Amino acid sequence: MPIYQYYCEACGMKSQVFKKLAELERTELCELCHTAMQRQIVAPAVLGDYPAYRCPVTGKSIEGRRAHAENLARTGCRLLEPGETDSLRRRRKADDDALDKAVEETAERFVHELPTDKREKLICEINCGADTTVTR
Ligand SMILES: [Zn+2]
């Protein structure tokens, strides 16, 4: 059902009306002054073409809406929903933080399990810089 725009010449009120083509000739009255409104000719909203981009999966240059849709189908990808990017970013940060914590705990456990002399030497090297010759 198309949307039609009406304008009241008496008070300047504008309104949009959904109506069937068969109802096109029905008079629309102004909500404010109840005068018959004039239908206006308005350009329909048209979706612009998709901006060109390089596909992150294939590296191919994609131009236009159809090529974009075909590329998504071919690569098995989809567009992110609104808010999904933030959610993904938060999840990645949580994963990174968990990985950092696991690495830190593993390193700490490793250092703790070293014989005392090696542990003290390692701590000294970490604090003072490793300018001694390393023997394994
Ligand atoms: Zn009016």
Side-chain angles (χ1 to χ4, degrees):
M1 210 166 3
I3 303 172
Y4 297 94
Q5 182 136 3
Y6 284 84
Y7 176 74
C8 175
E9 290 181 339
C11 73
M13 172 80 173
K14 286 180 182 174
S15 69
Q16 293 185 327
V17 180
F18 284 93
K19 60 160 101 172
K20 295 176 188 167
L21 205 55
E23 300 170 333
L24 191 58
E25 296 310 314
R26 186 184 71 209
T27 302
E28 297 299 326
L29 295 178
C30 175
E31 287 175 33
L32 295 178
C33 68
H34 307 287
T35 304
M37 297 177 90
Q38 300 295 312
R39 190 175 66 238
Q40 294 186 299
I41 296 170
V42 180
V46 176
L47 285 175
D49 210 354
Y50 215 81
Y53 67 98
R54 188 163 299 281
C55 173
V57 177
T58 63
K60 244 178 91 180
S61 178
I62 307 296
E63 268 188 67
R65 189 168 298 278
R66 179 183 291 174
H68 173 62
E70 288 168 359
N71 187 54
L72 286 179
R74 193 174 36 246
T75 56
C77 295
R78 65 178 176 83
L79 291 177
L80 296 176
E81 299 292 325
E84 204 173 3
T85 308
D86 288 341
S87 165
L88 193 62
R89 202 172 292 135
R90 278 195 301 274
R91 211 166 45 229
R92 279 194 186 142
K93 181 169 180 350
D95 287 351
D96 285 351
D97 290 350
L99 181 62
D100 285 349
K101 191 177 175 213
V103 167
E104 206 165 293
E105 285 171 358
T106 302
E108 202 149 308
R109 194 172 343 104
F110 171 78
V111 170
H112 187 76
E113 289 169 358
L114 283 173
T116 310
D117 61 324
K118 284 191 175 183
R119 184 179 341 141
E120 285 173 355
K121 188 174 178 210
L122 179 64
I123 290 169
C124 179
E125 285 176 356
I126 289 170
N127 291 337
C128 314
D131 57 4
T132 57
T133 51
V134 179
T135 51
R136 294 174 196 267

